[in-house]
């Protein structure tokens, strides 16, 4: 069951979306009003409710209030959508994980507008990762000691948490499919990952960077009850067991109006920090997160099932030429066969010798 505070927050966000939808609907305005510019924004679907509550919702509300002359509409898309399918959507802008942005940057012509920088981050290119946490009596201290253990995390598509943790495991040479004996995703419900450890339902919790420090600061946990595994030396404000990556990116497609791109860039860079519990900033390095997506075979790097129909469509010209070649060979072969002569109901053959 979800905590009351979260439910209240969720209801407030739903009400905000409803109001925003009404305000942005052309039918809600008088017939004498000026036609609005329509801006279409894609949103890569994530299971993290706090992304919608603390980032997407407040940002869209801020933009709709600041630009009443623009009709903003959003559409969720799957993380594993291909660049070809993405381009058919005809979006102007896109909210996406940084790895998705990096992987589609060239095929779709995406250009970074801003990148989210969490509160405790100083560098938007290195602002999210994962922390490996066990109970204090866990017998190991490194990544290898987690092999064959039961793991728990929030959800399977978050870069800050599961994906960066999974990438760290593969970077040590382990098979990500067989590393853990069991994996549980709480999907942000109760109990949380650290509660799983204390109740012995899991051996290792993989949580987003800075969550451990926030829970300690708010006295939600006693840090002495836990052990942190595989810590990396870093100047980051929070402890991390993995490499650090950029967070969510807001980017533009080539078809976006240049004046609107300029306006939104300025507005988001100067957007009040308290609205989203973070800053919109600019990241300069996406190579690490692109490699993560490639190594984990996510997004456009997903191993897709190859069907006979898809192969036929892809190689239709080659197949047609091969068909003509086969027809030519068959014609040549049968044209050289002896001619059959029908006599008295029987067929006699004329044989020619060289």
């Amino acid at each position: 069951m979800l905590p009351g505070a979260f439910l209240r927050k969720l209801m407030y966000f739903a009400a905000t979306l409803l109001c925003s939808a009404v305000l942005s609907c052309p039918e809600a305005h008088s017939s004498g009003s000026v036609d609005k510019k329509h801006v279409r924004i894609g949103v890569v679907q994530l299971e993290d409710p706090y992304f919608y509550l603390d980032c997407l919702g407040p940002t869209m509300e801020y933009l709709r209030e600041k630009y009443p002359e623009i009709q903003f509409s959003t559409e969720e898309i799957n993380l594993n959508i291909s660049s070809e399918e993405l381009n058919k959507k005809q979006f102007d802008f896109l909210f996406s994980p940084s790895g998705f942005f990096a992987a589609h940057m060239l095929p779709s012509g995406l250009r970074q507008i801003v990148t989210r920088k969490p509160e405790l981050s100083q560098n938007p290119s290195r602002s999210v990762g994962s922390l490996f946490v066990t109970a204090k009596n866990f017998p190991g201290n490194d990544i290898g000691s987690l092999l064959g253990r039961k793991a728990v995390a929030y959800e399977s598509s978050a870069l800050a948490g599961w994906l960066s943790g999974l990438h760290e495991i593969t970077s040590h040479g382990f098979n990500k499919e067989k590393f853990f004996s069991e994996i549980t995703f709480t999907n942000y419900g109760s109990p949380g990952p650290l509660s799983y450890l204390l109740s012995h339902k899991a051996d290792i919790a993989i949580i987003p960077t800075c969550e451990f420090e926030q829970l300690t600061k708010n006295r939600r946990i006693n840090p002495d009850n836990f052990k942190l595994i595989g810590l990396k030396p870093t100047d980051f404000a929070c402890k991390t067991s993995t490499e650090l990556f950029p967070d969510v990116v807001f980017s533009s497609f080539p078809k976006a109006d240049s004046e609107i791109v300029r306006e939104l860039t300025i507005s988001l860079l100067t957007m009040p920090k308290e609205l989203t519990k973070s800053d919109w900033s600019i990241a300069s390095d996406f190579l690490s997160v692109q490699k993560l997506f490639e190594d984990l075979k996510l997004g456009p790097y997903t191993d897709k099932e190859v069907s006979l129909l898809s192969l036929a469509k892809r190689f239709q010209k080659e197949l047609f030429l091969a068909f003509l070649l086969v027809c030519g060979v068959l014609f040549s072969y049968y044209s050289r066969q002896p001619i059959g002569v029908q006599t008295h109901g029987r067929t006699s053959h004329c044989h020619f010798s060289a």
Side-chain angles (χ1 to χ4, degrees), residues 39-82:
V39 170
R40 300 184 68 237
I41 302 176
V43 181
V44 175
Q45 187 177 21
L46 300 175
E47 295 177 19
D48 180 359
Y50 296 104
F51 164 69
Y52 296 91
L53 291 168
D54 296 333
C55 180
L56 179 64
T59 297
M60 291 309 304
E61 184 180 10
Y62 170 75
L63 292 177
R64 286 180 172 125
E65 289 181 355
K66 190 173 181 64
Y67 299 101
E69 72 279 8
I70 298 177
Q71 178 191 348
F72 293 100
S73 64
T74 59
E75 178 186 339
E76 281 194 328
I77 56 175
N78 190 276
L79 177 70
N80 292 323
I81 190 173
S82 66

Side-chain angles (χ1 to χ4, degrees), residues 286-322:
F286 290 95
L287 292 178
S288 60
V289 74
Q290 185 172 11
K291 187 175 188 306
L292 178 146
F293 265 55
E294 186 174 0
D295 291 345
L296 296 182
K297 293 181 171 55
L298 297 173
Y301 303 108
T302 304
D303 287 333
K304 300 186 183 297
E305 182 179 352
V306 179
S307 66
L308 291 176
L309 181 60
S310 64
L311 285 174
K313 287 182 178 179
R314 182 177 178 183
F315 298 106
Q316 55 184 341
K317 292 182 179 179
E318 291 82 355
L319 289 173
F320 180 68
L321 291 175

Side-chain angles (χ1 to χ4, degrees), residues 206-220:
I206 302 178
I207 61 175
T209 46
C210 296
E211 179 169 308
F212 190 82
E213 286 80 1
Q214 289 284 11
L215 292 174
T216 300
K217 180 181 177 182
N218 297 334
R219 298 184 178 181
R220 299 272 303 278

Side-chain angles (χ1 to χ4, degrees), residues 11-155:
M11 291 173 65
Y12 168 78
F13 177 60
T16 300
L17 277 186
L18 180 60
C19 292
S20 299
V22 172
L23 288 173
S24 64
C25 181
E27 289 78 11
H29 296 271
S30 64
S31 57
S33 62
V34 179
D35 288 341
K36 289 187 171 187
K37 293 181 179 178
H38 187 198
V39 170
R40 300 184 68 237
I41 302 176
V43 181
V44 175
Q45 187 177 21
L46 300 175
E47 295 177 19
D48 180 359
Y50 296 104
F51 164 69
Y52 296 91
L53 291 168
D54 296 333
C55 180
L56 179 64
T59 297
M60 291 309 304
E61 184 180 10
Y62 170 75
L63 292 177
R64 286 180 172 125
E65 289 181 355
K66 190 173 181 64
Y67 299 101
E69 72 279 8
I70 298 177
Q71 178 191 348
F72 293 100
S73 64
T74 59
E75 178 186 339
E76 281 194 328
I77 56 175
N78 190 276
L79 177 70
N80 292 323
I81 190 173
S82 66
S83 292
E84 182 179 4
E85 293 169 327
L86 179 61
N87 294 338
K88 290 178 181 178
K89 291 288 186 179
Q90 295 295 303
F91 291 132
D92 299 286
F93 298 94
L94 181 72
F95 283 100
S96 67
S98 53
F100 184 97
F101 163 76
H104 289 271
M105 184 166 53
L106 292 179
S108 297
L110 293 175
R111 185 175 72 84
Q112 175 192 197
I113 301 296
V114 288
T115 297
R116 184 171 67 164
K117 182 169 74 68
E119 292 181 278
L120 298 176
S121 172
Q122 299 299 317
N123 182 353
S125 296
R126 302 177 68 253
S127 57
V128 295
S130 302
L131 183 66
F132 295 160
V133 186
T134 66
K136 64 178 180 181
N137 59 350
F138 184 76
N141 294 289
D142 58 10
I143 301 295
S145 66
L146 305 176
L147 180 64
R149 302 289 184 167
K150 296 179 181 179
V152 60
Y154 281 114
E155 52 102 353

